[in-house]
Short mmCIF file of all heavy atoms in Angstrom, two decimals:
data_model
loop_
_atom_site.label_atom_id
_atom_site.label_comp_id
_atom_site.label_asym_id
_atom_site.label_seq_id
_atom_site.Cartn_x
_atom_site.Cartn_y
_atom_site.Cartn_z
N HIS T 420 12.95 -37.08 -16.04
CA HIS T 420 13.40 -37.23 -17.37
C HIS T 420 14.70 -36.49 -17.65
O HIS T 420 14.89 -35.39 -17.00
CB HIS T 420 12.32 -36.74 -18.30
CG HIS T 420 12.47 -37.06 -19.84
ND1 HIS T 420 13.42 -36.33 -20.56
CD2 HIS T 420 11.97 -38.09 -20.61
CE1 HIS T 420 13.35 -36.84 -21.86
NE2 HIS T 420 12.55 -37.88 -21.81
N PRO T 421 15.65 -36.95 -18.38
CA PRO T 421 16.84 -36.21 -18.62
C PRO T 421 16.83 -34.80 -19.06
O PRO T 421 17.70 -33.99 -18.88
CB PRO T 421 17.55 -37.13 -19.66
CG PRO T 421 17.04 -38.51 -19.53
CD PRO T 421 15.56 -38.26 -19.13
N ARG T 422 15.60 -34.48 -19.77
CA ARG T 422 15.49 -33.11 -20.23
C ARG T 422 15.07 -32.03 -19.18
O ARG T 422 15.30 -30.87 -19.34
CB ARG T 422 14.38 -33.07 -21.32
CG ARG T 422 14.65 -33.88 -22.57
CD ARG T 422 15.84 -33.38 -23.30
NE ARG T 422 15.70 -31.97 -23.69
CZ ARG T 422 15.01 -31.44 -24.73
NH1 ARG T 422 14.38 -32.35 -25.51
NH2 ARG T 422 15.02 -30.26 -25.02
N VAL T 423 14.63 -32.58 -18.01
CA VAL T 423 14.14 -31.69 -16.98
C VAL T 423 15.31 -30.83 -16.40
O VAL T 423 16.29 -31.34 -16.10
CB VAL T 423 13.45 -32.51 -15.88
CG1 VAL T 423 13.07 -31.64 -14.71
CG2 VAL T 423 12.23 -33.21 -16.36
N GLY T 424 15.04 -29.63 -16.32
CA GLY T 424 16.11 -28.59 -15.76
C GLY T 424 16.83 -27.93 -16.90
O GLY T 424 17.33 -26.81 -16.63
N HIS T 425 16.98 -28.52 -18.06
CA HIS T 425 17.60 -27.87 -19.12
C HIS T 425 16.77 -26.72 -19.80
O HIS T 425 15.48 -26.84 -19.67
CB HIS T 425 17.93 -28.93 -20.25
CG HIS T 425 19.02 -29.91 -19.86
ND1 HIS T 425 20.34 -29.46 -19.88
CD2 HIS T 425 19.09 -31.20 -19.55
CE1 HIS T 425 21.14 -30.46 -19.50
NE2 HIS T 425 20.35 -31.50 -19.31
N ARG T 426 17.41 -25.93 -20.52
CA ARG T 426 16.64 -24.84 -21.29
C ARG T 426 16.06 -25.51 -22.51
O ARG T 426 16.68 -26.49 -23.02
CB ARG T 426 17.54 -23.75 -21.69
CG ARG T 426 18.38 -23.96 -22.92
CD ARG T 426 19.38 -22.92 -23.20
NE ARG T 426 19.47 -22.56 -24.55
CZ ARG T 426 19.92 -23.35 -25.51
NH1 ARG T 426 20.38 -24.55 -25.21
NH2 ARG T 426 20.05 -22.85 -26.83
N LEU T 427 14.91 -25.05 -22.95
CA LEU T 427 14.35 -25.53 -24.22
C LEU T 427 15.05 -24.69 -25.33
O LEU T 427 14.96 -23.40 -25.28
CB LEU T 427 12.85 -25.19 -24.23
CG LEU T 427 12.14 -25.57 -25.61
CD1 LEU T 427 11.99 -27.04 -25.68
CD2 LEU T 427 10.82 -24.93 -25.62
N PRO T 428 15.68 -25.41 -26.23
CA PRO T 428 16.24 -24.69 -27.42
C PRO T 428 15.20 -24.05 -28.25
O PRO T 428 13.98 -24.42 -28.15
CB PRO T 428 16.99 -25.71 -28.19
CG PRO T 428 17.09 -26.91 -27.23
CD PRO T 428 15.95 -26.87 -26.37
N ASP T 429 15.52 -23.05 -29.07
CA ASP T 429 14.57 -22.45 -29.99
C ASP T 429 14.32 -23.36 -31.22
O ASP T 429 14.79 -23.13 -32.31
CB ASP T 429 15.08 -21.07 -30.44
CG ASP T 429 13.99 -20.30 -31.14
OD1 ASP T 429 12.79 -20.62 -31.02
OD2 ASP T 429 14.38 -19.36 -31.91
N LEU T 430 13.58 -24.43 -30.95
CA LEU T 430 13.35 -25.50 -32.00
C LEU T 430 12.55 -25.02 -33.09
O LEU T 430 11.62 -24.11 -33.01
CB LEU T 430 12.71 -26.69 -31.35
CG LEU T 430 13.45 -27.34 -30.13
CD1 LEU T 430 12.47 -28.42 -29.57
CD2 LEU T 430 14.71 -27.99 -30.65
N HIS T 431 12.81 -25.50 -34.29
CA HIS T 431 11.86 -25.34 -35.36
C HIS T 431 10.66 -26.37 -35.29
O HIS T 431 11.04 -27.63 -35.31
CB HIS T 431 12.54 -25.48 -36.74
CG HIS T 431 11.62 -25.32 -37.90
ND1 HIS T 431 11.10 -24.05 -38.38
CD2 HIS T 431 11.12 -26.24 -38.76
CE1 HIS T 431 10.38 -24.30 -39.35
NE2 HIS T 431 10.31 -25.59 -39.76
N LEU T 432 9.49 -26.02 -35.07
CA LEU T 432 8.45 -26.86 -34.80
C LEU T 432 7.34 -26.74 -35.90
O LEU T 432 6.73 -25.77 -36.12
CB LEU T 432 7.80 -26.42 -33.45
CG LEU T 432 8.75 -26.49 -32.26
CD1 LEU T 432 8.00 -25.90 -31.04
CD2 LEU T 432 9.15 -27.85 -32.05
N PRO T 433 7.23 -27.80 -36.76
CA PRO T 433 6.30 -27.80 -37.81
C PRO T 433 4.85 -27.99 -37.41
O PRO T 433 4.54 -28.75 -36.37
CB PRO T 433 6.81 -28.94 -38.72
CG PRO T 433 7.36 -29.92 -37.85
CD PRO T 433 7.95 -29.13 -36.67
N ALA T 434 3.95 -27.48 -38.24
CA ALA T 434 2.47 -27.85 -38.17
C ALA T 434 1.94 -27.80 -36.74
O ALA T 434 1.27 -28.66 -36.27
CB ALA T 434 2.31 -29.19 -38.78
N LEU T 435 2.17 -26.58 -36.03
CA LEU T 435 1.79 -26.52 -34.56
C LEU T 435 0.18 -26.11 -34.69
O LEU T 435 -0.33 -25.50 -35.54
CB LEU T 435 2.43 -25.36 -33.91
CG LEU T 435 3.94 -25.57 -33.73
CD1 LEU T 435 4.53 -24.32 -33.10
CD2 LEU T 435 4.23 -26.67 -32.87
N ARG T 436 -0.46 -26.73 -33.70
CA ARG T 436 -1.91 -26.41 -33.47
C ARG T 436 -2.13 -26.04 -32.00
O ARG T 436 -1.54 -26.55 -31.10
CB ARG T 436 -2.84 -27.65 -33.84
CG ARG T 436 -2.80 -27.89 -35.35
CD ARG T 436 -3.58 -29.02 -35.70
NE ARG T 436 -3.85 -29.25 -37.07
CZ ARG T 436 -4.90 -28.69 -37.85
NH1 ARG T 436 -5.79 -28.03 -37.14
NH2 ARG T 436 -4.91 -28.88 -39.13
N GLU T 437 -3.15 -25.24 -31.79
CA GLU T 437 -3.56 -24.72 -30.45
C GLU T 437 -5.10 -24.74 -30.56
O GLU T 437 -5.64 -24.01 -31.34
CB GLU T 437 -3.04 -23.36 -30.05
CG GLU T 437 -3.38 -22.98 -28.65
CD GLU T 437 -2.58 -21.62 -28.33
OE1 GLU T 437 -2.17 -20.97 -29.20
OE2 GLU T 437 -2.48 -21.40 -27.16
N ASN T 438 -5.74 -25.46 -29.63
CA ASN T 438 -7.19 -25.63 -29.61
C ASN T 438 -7.67 -26.06 -30.92
O ASN T 438 -8.72 -25.65 -31.41
CB ASN T 438 -7.91 -24.31 -29.21
CG ASN T 438 -7.54 -23.90 -27.73
OD1 ASN T 438 -7.38 -24.78 -26.93
ND2 ASN T 438 -7.31 -22.62 -27.58
N GLY T 439 -6.92 -26.80 -31.64
CA GLY T 439 -7.25 -27.40 -32.93
C GLY T 439 -7.03 -26.45 -34.10
O GLY T 439 -7.16 -26.78 -35.27
N THR T 440 -6.59 -25.26 -33.89
CA THR T 440 -6.35 -24.28 -34.90
C THR T 440 -4.88 -24.26 -35.25
O THR T 440 -4.00 -24.04 -34.36
CB THR T 440 -6.81 -22.83 -34.34
OG1 THR T 440 -8.14 -22.91 -34.05
CG2 THR T 440 -6.52 -21.85 -35.45
N PRO T 441 -4.62 -24.21 -36.55
CA PRO T 441 -3.22 -24.23 -36.95
C PRO T 441 -2.53 -22.84 -36.52
O PRO T 441 -3.18 -21.85 -36.63
CB PRO T 441 -3.17 -24.32 -38.51
CG PRO T 441 -4.60 -24.95 -38.85
CD PRO T 441 -5.47 -24.49 -37.70
N LEU T 442 -1.22 -22.86 -36.12
CA LEU T 442 -0.59 -21.67 -35.85
C LEU T 442 0.39 -21.33 -36.94
O LEU T 442 0.97 -22.10 -37.63
CB LEU T 442 0.24 -21.91 -34.51
CG LEU T 442 -0.52 -22.14 -33.28
CD1 LEU T 442 0.37 -22.44 -32.08
CD2 LEU T 442 -1.49 -21.12 -32.89
N ASP T 443 0.56 -19.97 -37.15
CA ASP T 443 1.55 -19.54 -38.14
C ASP T 443 3.02 -19.62 -37.66
O ASP T 443 3.94 -19.63 -38.37
CB ASP T 443 1.24 -18.02 -38.50
CG ASP T 443 -0.05 -17.92 -39.24
OD1 ASP T 443 -0.45 -18.94 -39.88
OD2 ASP T 443 -0.65 -16.78 -39.16
N GLU T 444 3.16 -19.67 -36.31
CA GLU T 444 4.47 -19.74 -35.68
C GLU T 444 5.02 -21.15 -35.92
O GLU T 444 4.43 -22.14 -35.67
CB GLU T 444 4.32 -19.33 -34.28
CG GLU T 444 5.67 -19.16 -33.48
CD GLU T 444 6.49 -18.05 -34.27
OE1 GLU T 444 6.09 -16.92 -34.22
OE2 GLU T 444 7.51 -18.49 -34.84
N HIS T 445 6.39 -21.16 -36.16
CA HIS T 445 7.21 -22.39 -36.20
C HIS T 445 8.42 -22.36 -35.43
O HIS T 445 9.19 -23.24 -35.59
CB HIS T 445 7.43 -22.65 -37.73
CG HIS T 445 6.38 -22.65 -38.58
ND1 HIS T 445 5.43 -23.71 -38.59
CD2 HIS T 445 5.82 -21.79 -39.59
CE1 HIS T 445 4.53 -23.52 -39.56
NE2 HIS T 445 4.70 -22.43 -40.05
N ARG T 446 8.53 -21.41 -34.45
CA ARG T 446 9.71 -21.47 -33.58
C ARG T 446 9.16 -21.69 -32.06
O ARG T 446 8.07 -21.23 -31.89
CB ARG T 446 10.49 -20.19 -33.63
CG ARG T 446 11.28 -19.94 -34.95
CD ARG T 446 11.84 -18.53 -34.91
NE ARG T 446 12.54 -18.24 -33.64
CZ ARG T 446 12.59 -17.00 -33.06
NH1 ARG T 446 11.80 -15.98 -33.72
NH2 ARG T 446 13.23 -16.76 -32.01
N ALA T 447 10.02 -22.20 -31.30
CA ALA T 447 9.62 -22.47 -29.88
C ALA T 447 9.46 -21.15 -29.08
O ALA T 447 8.52 -21.04 -28.28
CB ALA T 447 10.53 -23.49 -29.26
N PHE T 448 10.46 -20.29 -29.15
CA PHE T 448 10.60 -19.10 -28.23
C PHE T 448 9.33 -18.27 -28.24
O PHE T 448 8.85 -17.83 -27.26
CB PHE T 448 11.77 -18.32 -28.53
CG PHE T 448 13.07 -19.04 -28.01
CD1 PHE T 448 14.23 -18.34 -28.19
CD2 PHE T 448 13.04 -20.20 -27.28
CE1 PHE T 448 15.47 -18.90 -27.68
CE2 PHE T 448 14.24 -20.77 -26.77
CZ PHE T 448 15.42 -20.10 -27.08
N PRO T 449 8.81 -17.91 -29.50
CA PRO T 449 7.54 -17.05 -29.50
C PRO T 449 6.41 -17.59 -28.76
O PRO T 449 5.44 -16.88 -28.40
CB PRO T 449 7.33 -16.90 -30.92
CG PRO T 449 8.66 -17.04 -31.67
CD PRO T 449 9.33 -18.16 -30.83
N LEU T 450 6.38 -18.91 -28.54
CA LEU T 450 5.32 -19.55 -27.83
C LEU T 450 5.25 -19.16 -26.28
O LEU T 450 4.33 -19.47 -25.70
CB LEU T 450 5.35 -21.03 -28.03
CG LEU T 450 5.18 -21.52 -29.48
CD1 LEU T 450 5.41 -23.15 -29.46
CD2 LEU T 450 3.92 -21.18 -30.11
N LEU T 451 6.33 -18.47 -25.90
CA LEU T 451 6.47 -18.16 -24.47
C LEU T 451 6.28 -16.70 -24.26
O LEU T 451 6.53 -16.21 -23.15
CB LEU T 451 7.81 -18.69 -23.91
CG LEU T 451 8.11 -20.12 -23.79
CD1 LEU T 451 9.50 -20.53 -23.80
CD2 LEU T 451 7.31 -20.71 -22.58
N ARG T 452 5.82 -15.94 -25.28
CA ARG T 452 5.80 -14.56 -25.11
C ARG T 452 4.82 -14.04 -24.08
O ARG T 452 4.96 -12.94 -23.58
CB ARG T 452 5.41 -13.89 -26.45
CG ARG T 452 6.59 -13.96 -27.49
CD ARG T 452 6.38 -13.25 -28.77
NE ARG T 452 7.58 -13.29 -29.58
CZ ARG T 452 7.64 -12.89 -30.82
NH1 ARG T 452 6.50 -12.36 -31.45
NH2 ARG T 452 8.70 -13.06 -31.49
N ASP T 453 3.77 -14.84 -23.69
CA ASP T 453 2.78 -14.39 -22.80
C ASP T 453 3.30 -14.65 -21.27
O ASP T 453 2.64 -14.29 -20.34
CB ASP T 453 1.44 -15.03 -22.98
CG ASP T 453 1.52 -16.56 -22.95
OD1 ASP T 453 2.61 -17.08 -22.68
OD2 ASP T 453 0.50 -17.20 -23.24
N GLY T 454 4.51 -15.27 -21.15
CA GLY T 454 5.10 -15.49 -19.86
C GLY T 454 4.37 -16.64 -19.11
O GLY T 454 4.58 -16.70 -17.81
N ASN T 455 3.67 -17.54 -19.73
CA ASN T 455 2.99 -18.59 -19.07
C ASN T 455 3.70 -19.88 -19.22
O ASN T 455 4.63 -19.99 -20.08
CB ASN T 455 1.58 -18.66 -19.65
CG ASN T 455 0.61 -17.54 -19.28
OD1 ASN T 455 0.85 -16.97 -18.18
ND2 ASN T 455 -0.26 -17.19 -20.12
N PHE T 456 3.22 -20.94 -18.55
CA PHE T 456 3.76 -22.30 -18.82
C PHE T 456 3.33 -22.72 -20.19
O PHE T 456 2.20 -22.34 -20.69
CB PHE T 456 3.13 -23.22 -17.85
CG PHE T 456 4.05 -23.34 -16.58
CD1 PHE T 456 3.98 -22.30 -15.65
CD2 PHE T 456 4.90 -24.39 -16.32
CE1 PHE T 456 4.76 -22.43 -14.45
CE2 PHE T 456 5.70 -24.56 -15.25
CZ PHE T 456 5.66 -23.42 -14.26
N LEU T 457 4.06 -23.48 -20.80
CA LEU T 457 3.80 -24.04 -22.16
C LEU T 457 3.93 -25.59 -22.22
O LEU T 457 5.00 -26.20 -21.81
CB LEU T 457 4.80 -23.49 -23.19
CG LEU T 457 4.82 -24.10 -24.60
CD1 LEU T 457 3.53 -23.74 -25.32
CD2 LEU T 457 5.98 -23.51 -25.43
N LEU T 458 2.79 -26.26 -22.55
CA LEU T 458 2.84 -27.65 -22.69
C LEU T 458 2.97 -27.96 -24.18
O LEU T 458 2.06 -27.66 -24.99
CB LEU T 458 1.65 -28.36 -22.14
CG LEU T 458 1.54 -29.91 -22.31
CD1 LEU T 458 2.72 -30.56 -21.64
CD2 LEU T 458 0.22 -30.42 -21.84
#
Side-chain angles (χ1 to χ4, degrees):
H420 190 280
R422 296 296 305 278
V423 173
H425 287 285
R426 85 190 220 288
L427 177 76
D429 191 21
L430 300 171
H431 177 75
L432 301 172
L435 297 176
R436 288 180 173 269
E437 186 173 16
N438 296 323
T440 302
L442 297 179
D443 293 332
E444 190 55 67
H445 299 292
R446 290 172 52 215
F448 285 177
L450 300 176
L451 291 159
R452 286 186 179 174
D453 56 7
N455 291 328
F456 272 76
L457 169 68
L458 178 62

